[in-house]
Every structure is written in structure tokens, then in C-alpha cells.
Amino acid sequence: MSGSVVPMSAQPRPVRHGLHAFLLAAAVLFASPLAIAQATGEAGYRAPVAELQAIADAPRPPQLWLAPRRDLAAMVQTPDLPGIDVVAQPELKLAGLRFHPRVHAPSNFSLGADLWLLDVATGTERRIAGLPQPLGLAGLAWSPDQRWLAFNRLDRASGANELWLVDTASARARRLASGLNTIGAGYAWLPDSRGLLVHLRSDRARPLPPADAVPTGPAIQHTEAGAGVRSVRTYQDLLRNESDAQTLEHYLLSQLARIDLGGKVTPLGAPALYLASSPSPDGRYVLATQAQRPFSYLVPVTRFPRVVEVLDARTGASVHTVARLPLVEGLPTGNDAVPTGARHVHWRADAPATLAWVEARDGGDPARAAEVRDTVFMHAAPFDAPPTRLADLSLRLAGLTWARGDLATLDEFWWKTRQVRTWRVFPDEPGRAPQLMFERSYEDRYADPGRLATVTDAAGRRRLQTSADGGSLFLLGDGASPEGDRPFVDRYELATGKRERLFHSQPPYYEEPRALLDDTGTRLLITRESPQEPTNYYVRDAAAAQPLRALTAFPHPTPQLRDISKEQIRYRRADGVELTGTLYLPAGYDASRDGPLPVLMWAYPQEFKSAQAASQVTDSPYRFNRVSYWGPLPFLARGFAVLDDPSMPIVGEGDAEPNDTYVEQLVASAKAAVDELARRGVGDPERVAVGGHSYGAFMTANLLAHSGLFKAGIARSGAYNRSLTPFGFQAEERNYWQAQQTYLAMSPFNHADRIKAPLLLIHGEQDNNSGTFPMQSERMFAAIKGLGGTARLVMLPNESHRYRARESILHMLAESDDWLQKYVRQARPEAAAGGR
């Protein structure tokens, strides 16, 4: 990577009679999580059994960041899980942002612990002298000429957010600057590699409002008829009042500046509420985006009014205003809806200083009939001539990748039909008709041509990677097939559209191309793995006597589980849809000798417009058996069979909406999976648990409510009442008032009286994911408790949608293990709750 910074995610008391009983029941039903915890007599974090704790504490492999010339890489050591003392440090949650106020940086509780260089040509590692201790690496960026590696260091104790520089020739580090503000925007190299564009804390920030300030008035919102239906997502961490707004301004305000390699700082213009900045390829200008008032209590800062303008890179003076974008507090209904005005404003990578952006021509409303949905524009410096129209699109713009004056690629997409197209366009001949390269349904993995390879140019910009003669591009793909994923590299001839396969992963290994190391496509940087061999980096060179050369030798992180078995299984749903899943069995297990095992199924439903696409095989049987603490695989160490990611497709072909038959299709998929495990003799159908995270948790509660297939469920950080996400969720485009019966039928909260199997609910108290408010789990637990069911609610302090602290992870594993042991492994040999 180069140029811009790359960041491093109860038992109740006895019931009394009469009025006292009513008051007590009401108090328990609506008790806070703290009160519920106190009522159980439990306190403190728990650790799981040793074999589960060892998985949570397993070492994590370093991350590799390839340099622009592709012959050098930075290696960053992924740290161990942070402690709750780290995760519980101060964190502000304002306007959709979460940041540490002392360091003026996004909340990042897992900072790089070590940094070194790796020579791709020889595999030689070089240590870097002068690194600060502790390192605290939050992000990094290669200079375009590869001479320098910049990174910012966070030190929460001192409040430091520092910019450091590594000289790659001498492998020595030094501090370049301090006082960075990376909350709204980061830092980026100037194209000449002689300095960086940075955002610094401003001494002109307005004072923070007093924490105990007396309110000056109510927080007021207002709407009027006439604007039409607007969908508003259920965002988290929004502003609540004027005090919040002033606090946001205090921390978001930053001073744009240039810093040269000697540390000299040149301020550019006045401080502003910057959300983004980017130097032009010729270094003469800066494209900057600022947030402005009026702020909103309904949407995050990215929807606030914004000014997009071009600044002089020497003085910071405004040269050209690209757009003044209004507050966007809602969009028309549909996943293809977009705001009006300029979107995706950026520099054209292959020109000195030319802007490109897209604008909706249908008012951003997918329900409005229009031959042209989006138009792509270009505008060259000095911006005194009108913008040029590059392309009119019948779908929405999904991406633009530049190469040269006669070559760029444009992707367009339409969610409703899942249609995606890739076109060749001619930037220096905007009147020339585009040429269609690929067209398919994005759901059709088997027909995916792959992603076009890119390479960093001399100015630090990503461009399409072409062959030496400029006549071909390269495609890197997953290679989905009925045999599983087999990644590939293809050469694509621009003149004819002919494709030549240069590389194809072969069993018994899974080899994934990560970068092309030359312009022939025959020398590759790949990762290689097998079920028993962990992922490592290699150079594969078709022209070399030894075509495969190892760059890294990361050890097996959980050698005690090396011999678990894995099989990619296929089975059929009652309506004929083909399903897949990955079946894991404990090491040494023999079905004929040991009999069927208790089972944990872990899944995440997906919507499809085609039964054929839903039936396609996913994943690969040759991938490494990585046992992470996050998924279901740790319970292999506890003697469970695990069916990971079994297909749970929700299909709606033609004009049918998938979710109108969500429950029926979900139960049918689950039943097919349970029946297949029983048919194979590896799973005991009377001892099966189901679990999932987020939408998988929603699935879990629904399966317990609408089937008797499972003895217990584990639902983490889910949403259970869809009336609380009334303007759509997941792939559902319709709002609650358009599809009220679907919303009601899909909400397991509405069917809590039918949940008879025990349900473990786990949720982060500070979940920031849209729709999965912590209240969702609290209300679900209260419903099951009030209806006499069996449930347990675990609210993890200071945790977001994905849990981060070691104590939280260990507690999650301990609770899940207890649940599975008590309600599944020790289950009596009878039909699962509710009947099958």
C-alpha cells in the first residue's frame, strides 16, 4: 500500500402474591443489565476451560504491506488481545464517530506491536533501529518512491499522536512531528515523496462545553409534509444536543499542513472541520472536504452539509469550489437510492490535476423511470472551462479505475436486479462510446471474471496494471466452482476480450494471488495454505527453476488442533435448492467407533434473486483450519461436531421478495442441514445447537421460535424486533409501512412465546452497528423471561458490535461453553423442544 494512510474493528427471586408480586415482576422485567447481574449473585469476568483459553491466546500472524515497487514489504506484528483496562479508556461517541479524546484519533484498541522490513527478492528480514517503545502503530503509508515509510504512533498515556518516518535504506526510524489529529482525516504522501499532507490539532478550537453545564434549552427536531418518503437508517452514536455539537467541533477541527522530511511545518489555510484531503497527482492542489453546520440529530457526520473544494497546495487558498452538498437526513426508498449532487469526488490518477465525480440524473430515486441513472464528469485544472461528461450510466456507478488517456474501467451496479457491468472508457476521448467488458449477476460467483489488478505509479496513485505492450490487463479472481474456490490469474487482451489463464490454484493447497510482481503476470506474490498448514507468503515464478519460494514461516497458531478434520459437504433443501457447509470433526473422531456427536451450527443468512446462484458452492476444502476464538470452531476442543457457515439462502426470484417467505426458507435450510448430519452418522439430531452473530443472531432466535430442531441457541449482538429498524435492514428495501406483515413475521420478538429451547443472548453494551441496539437483546430477554422461558443475558461492558477485550472474549467463551454443556451435550435423548 502507498500514498494514503492504511489503518490497523438468571434465576429470579421467588414470586410473591398480590401487589408486591406485580411490582416485583415489573421490576425484574424492566431491570437494567446491572440489576439483572446483581439479582443472579454473579460478578466479575470468568475464564473458560484451559483448552478454550489457549485458543483465545493463540499467537496472531503479522500483516504484510507491499511497497510500491513490489520488491519490499513492511511487516506489522498483530498484537495480542487488549485488556479491558485498554478498551475501557475514554472514548467519545459523536455523530457516528468513535474516538479517543486524548490522542485525537479513532478508537483503536489493537495497535501494531512491532515493525520490520522484508526483502521480497531474497526473503531477508531487516530490523528497524530507533523505533519507539511501545510502538503503538495505528496506520502506515509508503512514500511513492519507496524510500520512506511513514506511520503514526498513539500513546494513550501521554496523549501523543505522532508521525514517524522510517528510512528504508538505513532501516532507521525517527519522529517527524507530533500533535496529529486523525479523527476526521489521516495523512498522505505528497507525490514527490518529499513530504506529507497532514492534519494537526488546532489551537483555535473552541473550548469544550462544561460537563456540568446547565442546559440552555431543549433539543428540537422538525419536519414538514411535502418532502416525500425518505428512508432514515437507525444510526448509532448520534449527536443529542448542542453540547454534543460543540464537543464534536472542538475535536474535529484540524489544521491542514505540509511537513517536509526535515520536520518543517507549513500550515495551509485556516483550520476547518476536515473529513478528507488528497493531493493532486502533480502536487499543485489539494482536494479537501469540510463538514459544516447545520448538524443533525438523525444522521452521522458523513451526511452533514459539506463543502468540497480545491486548495492551493502551497498556501491553502481556495482555488475552486467543486460542490456545496446539503444535509442528507434521508433517501428515497430502495437500496439503489443515492443523494443528489456530486458523489465520489476524487483525482483522476493518470492526469496531473483532473477531478472526477458522479451525479444522479434520476433525483437519486430508483423508483423514478430514467434511461440515465448516473453521469460521470471530469474537470481539469485550472477549472475555468466547463466539466466534461465522461459517461452516462443506466445503473449506479460502483467504481472507476484509471490507467492512461485511452484506458480506464468503469463499474456500474443495480441492487434490485443484482446486475453488474464493467466498461472500458476513454478518458481523453469522452465522446467515444464505452466498450462492454463484463456483464453478470453479482450473485453468480461462478461467472465472476475477477478483479482488475492495479499497481502504484510514481506519484503514489493506484492505476490499472497493464502488460509491457499496454495491450492487456490482468484479472485476479476467487475461482468459485462446484469444487470450491480455486483462485486464478488471467491475462485479458483489450483488443479482442480474449482471456488466457496464467495461474490456477491446485489441490491440495489453496493459493491466493495477492499481487503481480512483474508485467507478464507470471511472477506472483501469493499466500499458500492447506488444512494443516497455516497461511504463509510465497513468491511463485513460472520462469524460475524453483517456481515456489517461501517468504515467511508463520507457525501453526493452535498445534493442539492440527488434526481436526474438515469436509465441504453438499446437500439439498426440500424445494431443490442445493446447499453447502463446512463440516469440522474433532481430532481422532471415528463415526463408527464413537457414534454421533453433539453439534454446533453457526450461520448467517443471505438473500438471493436466483435459486441457481443460491446453490453455488462457497469457500474451499483446502483452506487452513484456522480455529479463531470468534467463530464456532473452538468447541471442537470440547468434543462437538461443528457445521460452519451452512447455506441459509433466502430466495426471491423474479418479482418475488425474498423476505416474504423468510421463515419458511430458513427452517427448510436448517432442517436439511440437521438431516444431512444425521444421515452421515456424525451428528446427533437430538443434540444440536444453533448460533450466530448479528444477522446470524436474528436467525438463531427465529429458528428457535419457528422450529423444534435445536436444543439451544447462542445469539450474539442481534436485532430481534424489526419495528425498531423500520426503514430496511440487511437486503430488505421496503420500509415497515410497505411490508408490515413481513416485518412482523420476521421479528422473533413477536414470537417469543414460542421460544422453548434455552437461548443465550450476548451483547456489547456500546454496540455501534446500525440496528443492533443493545436494547434489542435486553427486550428479547425480558420477553422470554416474562413468558416463562429459559434465557440468559450477558451484557459486555465497553464492547462494541465486535468484542475486543481479552476478558470479554474469555467470558464469551465461558458462557457459551456452559450453555452448550448444560443444554446440548447433557440433553436427554428426546425430541428437541417443540417437536421437529
Side-chain angles (χ1 to χ4, degrees):
M1 306 292 288
S2 65
S4 299
V5 60
V6 180
M8 300 303 283
S9 160
Q11 295 295 323
R13 296 177 182 175
V15 177
R16 299 190 180 99
H17 298 286
L19 177 61
H20 291 291
F22 170 78
L23 294 175
L24 180 60
V28 172
L29 182 61
F30 298 104
S32 70
L34 177 59
I36 292 170
Q38 291 172 339
T40 65
E42 301 174 38
Y45 289 103
R46 296 176 51 213
V49 295
E51 49 263 51
L52 295 181
Q53 182 166 325
I55 294 169
D57 291 334
R60 290 152 183 80
Q63 298 176 345
L64 182 148
W65 303 101
L66 193 63
R69 296 176 184 171
R70 297 163 289 164
D71 59 356
L72 186 65
M75 304 297 295
V76 179
Q77 180 59 57
T78 306
D80 296 333
L81 288 170
I84 190 62
D85 58 323
V86 173
V87 174
Q89 291 190 53
E91 182 181 39
L92 288 181
K93 308 171 185 66
L94 298 170
L97 301 174
R98 288 193 171 189
F99 55 91
H100 194 301
R102 293 198 66 189
V103 297
H104 285 69
S107 300
N108 188 343
F109 302 103
S110 186
L111 303 172
D114 198 4
L115 175 68
W116 65 96
L117 300 174
L118 174 66
D119 190 307
V120 174
T122 65
T124 303
E125 293 184 349
R126 287 192 291 154
R127 303 305 303 181
I128 299 172
L131 289 174
Q133 296 299 326
L135 181 60
L137 188 149
L140 54 80
W142 281 103
S143 66
D145 66 2
Q146 198 173 289
R147 173 68 190 276
W148 308 96
L149 178 64
F151 67 89
N152 69 307
R153 172 189 183 246
L154 303 182
D155 184 355
R156 303 180 187 92
S158 66
N161 187 346
E162 303 170 335
L163 184 64
W164 283 70
L165 208 58
V166 175
D167 183 332
T168 61
S170 64
R172 182 169 295 276
R174 58 184 169 89
R175 189 175 69 172
L176 189 64
S178 59
L180 267 63
N181 185 344
T182 52
I183 294 174
Y187 49 92
W189 278 97
L190 297 172
D192 61 5
S193 298
R194 295 181 180 177
L196 295 101
L197 184 70
V198 301
H199 294 259
L200 302 173
R201 302 176 196 181
S202 173
D203 56 8
R204 293 168 58 180
R206 66 184 301 168
L208 282 171
D212 58 351
V214 176
T216 59
I220 298 173
Q221 301 181 61
H222 180 76
T223 188
E224 292 184 355
V229 176
R230 285 292 182 268
S231 294
V232 183
R233 295 192 67 188
T234 50
Y235 294 107
Q236 310 273 53
D237 302 337
L238 301 179
L239 300 180
R240 298 165 299 173
N241 48 46
E242 177 59 23
S243 178
D244 278 357
Q246 293 179 20
T247 302
L248 175 69
E249 288 179 314
H250 173 89
Y251 284 105
L252 191 58
L253 189 75
S254 65
Q255 173 65 60
L256 190 63
R258 292 198 328 269
I259 297 182
D260 67 20
L261 299 179
K264 179 183 177 182
V265 177
T266 304
L268 300 178
L273 304 180
Y274 285 110
L275 299 178
S277 64
S278 173
S280 60
D282 64 2
R284 296 176 58 198
Y285 304 99
V286 173
L287 177 65
T289 301
Q290 305 173 26
Q292 294 195 326
R293 294 247 187 180
F295 296 164
S296 170
Y297 298 159
L298 284 179
V299 293
V301 67
T302 52
R303 297 289 193 179
F304 287 5
R306 286 162 293 148
V307 174
V308 184
E309 58 185 345
V310 177
L311 310 177
D312 186 295
R314 294 166 299 175
T315 65
S318 180
V319 173
H320 171 65
T321 299
V322 183
R324 294 187 179 275
L325 301 173
L327 174 66
V328 180
E329 285 195 321
L331 294 173
T333 300
N335 292 337
D336 293 305
V338 295
T340 56
R343 313 190 321 267
H344 307 307
V345 184
H346 64 284
W347 293 112
R348 178 176 153 183
D350 63 330
T354 297
L355 294 170
W357 69 90
V358 62
E359 294 184 21
R361 298 285 299 282
D362 57 3
D365 187 352
R368 183 184 299 179
E371 291 185 6
V372 176
R373 295 286 181 183
D374 275 354
T375 295
V376 179
F377 293 96
M378 298 185 301
H379 201 187
F383 314 109
D384 51 2
T388 301
R389 180 177 300 185
L390 176 61
D392 288 330
L393 310 179
S394 61
L395 311 178
R396 294 282 183 232
L397 179 72
L400 266 170
T401 312
W402 308 92
R404 56 183 190 250
D406 67 340
L407 176 61
T409 59
L410 181 154
D411 297 311
E412 60 175 344
F413 172 76
W414 196 247
W415 168 260
K416 190 70 172 179
T417 60
R418 313 305 201 260
Q419 187 177 24
V420 60
R421 301 185 188 121
T422 299
W423 300 87
R424 176 185 179 176
V425 291
F426 304 85
D428 288 352
E429 302 176 69
R432 186 171 174 181
Q435 295 177 357
L436 183 64
M437 297 173 63
F438 311 111
E439 182 175 17
R440 66 182 181 98
S441 165
Y442 97 96
E443 294 179 339
D444 187 359
R445 299 183 71 245
Y446 291 177
D448 186 357
R451 65 189 182 279
L452 289 163
T454 60
V455 66
T456 304
D457 67 9
R461 300 285 169 164
R462 300 297 293 183
R463 295 205 213 180
L464 290 168
Q465 186 165 357
T466 60
S467 58
D469 62 4
S472 297
L473 302 176
F474 299 95
L475 293 158
L476 287 68
D478 294 333
S481 73
E483 291 75 40
D485 291 355
R486 293 177 56 197
F488 65 84
V489 175
D490 283 356
R491 180 188 288 115
Y492 177 88
E493 191 174 274
L494 287 164
T496 64
K498 178 182 176 182
R499 296 175 62 166
E500 177 189 1
R501 182 133 302 178
L502 304 176
F503 167 78
H504 201 188
S505 181
Q506 299 295 323
Y509 296 100
Y510 180 89
E511 295 186 353
E512 183 178 4
R514 298 304 183 95
L516 307 185
L517 299 179
D518 61 16
D519 57 13
T520 68
T522 59
R523 189 165 178 266
L524 312 173
L525 175 68
I526 67 167
T527 53
R528 189 187 205 219
E529 60 194 90
S530 71
Q532 284 75 39
E533 297 180 21
T535 306
N536 272 287
Y537 285 90
Y538 293 80
V539 172
R540 178 172 281 284
D541 190 344
Q546 297 292 331
L548 197 64
R549 177 168 51 83
L551 288 179
T552 62
F554 306 142
H556 198 299
T558 51
Q560 70 275 22
L561 297 173
R562 182 189 303 273
D563 295 327
I564 61 175
S565 69
K566 175 174 68 177
E567 180 183 358
Q568 196 170 44
I569 65 173
R570 299 208 69 180
Y571 49 100
R572 188 184 300 270
R573 203 165 73 178
D575 60 1
V577 175
E578 293 281 348
L579 306 175
T580 63
T582 305
L583 174 63
Y584 293 85
L585 298 170
Y589 169 74
D590 183 282
S592 61
R593 180 192 65 208
D594 303 323
L597 296 172
V599 178
L600 174 58
M601 284 174 43
W602 199 266
Y604 193 96
Q606 287 185 282
E607 296 84 355
F608 292 87
K609 292 300 292 180
S610 161
Q612 182 179 7
S615 296
Q616 292 183 351
V617 175
T618 59
D619 206 358
S620 166
Y622 305 112
R623 301 209 71 165
F624 175 54
N625 296 337
R626 184 176 304 281
V627 181
S628 166
Y629 59 78
W630 189 246
L633 298 190
F635 298 99
L636 289 163
R638 300 291 282 154
F640 276 74
V642 172
L643 185 59
D644 191 23
D645 198 25
S647 301
M648 296 285 176
I650 311 299
V651 183
E653 296 189 306
D655 294 330
E657 292 289 345
N659 283 337
D660 287 347
T661 54
Y662 171 87
V663 170
E664 297 88 337
Q665 293 192 63
L666 186 69
V667 172
S669 295
K671 185 177 188 307
V674 172
D675 289 348
E676 176 63 14
L677 296 181
R679 185 192 70 78
R680 290 170 170 262
V682 299
D684 181 351
E686 308 299 346
R687 293 188 297 163
V688 183
V690 64
H693 187 87
S694 195
Y695 203 52
F698 173 76
M699 170 207 73
T700 297
N702 263 309
L703 285 172
L704 295 193
H706 298 290
S707 82
L709 294 165
F710 302 101
K711 277 293 186 180
I714 300 174
R716 298 193 324 221
S717 300
Y720 310 103
N721 185 345
R722 285 302 168 196
S723 70
L724 298 179
T725 56
F727 287 100
F729 55 91
Q730 292 297 111
E732 179 57 62
E733 297 186 286
R734 300 166 296 175
N735 65 41
Y736 175 82
W737 297 270
Q738 293 173 317
Q740 190 171 105
Q741 289 307 310
T742 296
Y743 275 67
L744 294 175
M746 289 183 67
S747 297
F749 179 84
N750 294 335
H751 309 283
D753 58 324
R754 300 178 61 180
I755 297 179
K756 305 304 180 184
L759 179 60
L760 173 62
L761 295 156
I762 303 176
H763 214 120
E765 284 186 353
Q766 298 178 13
D767 194 331
N768 65 339
N769 183 58
S770 177
T772 56
F773 299 103
M775 178 180 67
Q776 290 271 9
S777 288
E778 295 169 354
R779 295 301 92 208
M780 191 68 189
F781 172 78
I784 296 174
K785 184 179 183 67
L787 292 165
T790 300
R792 183 175 176 87
L793 176 64
V794 178
M795 302 297 291
L796 298 171
N798 295 99
E799 293 295 358
S800 184
H801 192 59
R802 187 177 178 96
Y803 321 142
R804 302 159 295 190
R806 179 176 182 270
E807 290 86 345
S808 300
I809 298 299
L810 294 179
H811 194 97
M812 174 192 76
L813 290 171
E815 293 278 0
S816 300
D817 187 45
D818 285 355
W819 208 251
L820 294 172
Q821 296 298 326
K822 180 176 180 178
Y823 293 111
V824 183
R825 175 180 289 283
Q826 301 171 17
R828 291 174 297 172
E830 59 184 24
R836 296 179 62 201

